[in-house]
Amino acid sequence: TRLLATELTIPVVASGGAGTPEHVREVLQEGGAHAALAASMVHFGDYSVAQIKEHLAAAGISVRLDF
């Protein structure tokens, strides 16, 4: 992800493989992705959108919390 994010001039969206909010944080902060999908985590009821966003906000990632 980092290689793509640094080499491409278009936004990179990470999709697939996230099982925890920490995985989303990693791909955004360490992988350089501009966005990430987390559908399975929410659809299967493992985490709520609010939980994921709160984890990202706590890590210093700008997210909209008023939803």
Side-chain angles (χ1 to χ4, degrees), residues 6-66:
T6 57
E7 294 295 323
L8 297 175
T9 59
I10 58 172
V12 172
V13 179
S15 176
T20 68
E22 180 61 10
H23 294 149
V24 178
R25 186 215 51 87
E26 289 172 354
V27 79
L28 294 172
Q29 286 185 324
E30 298 169 24
H34 298 90
L37 302 179
S40 293
M41 292 174 17
V42 176
H43 291 305
F44 292 120
D46 296 328
Y47 300 94
S48 68
V49 172
Q51 288 174 309
I52 297 167
K53 286 186 167 192
E54 288 167 4
H55 182 81
L56 297 176
I61 297 172
S62 179
V63 295
R64 193 176 79 205
L65 295 173
D66 60 330

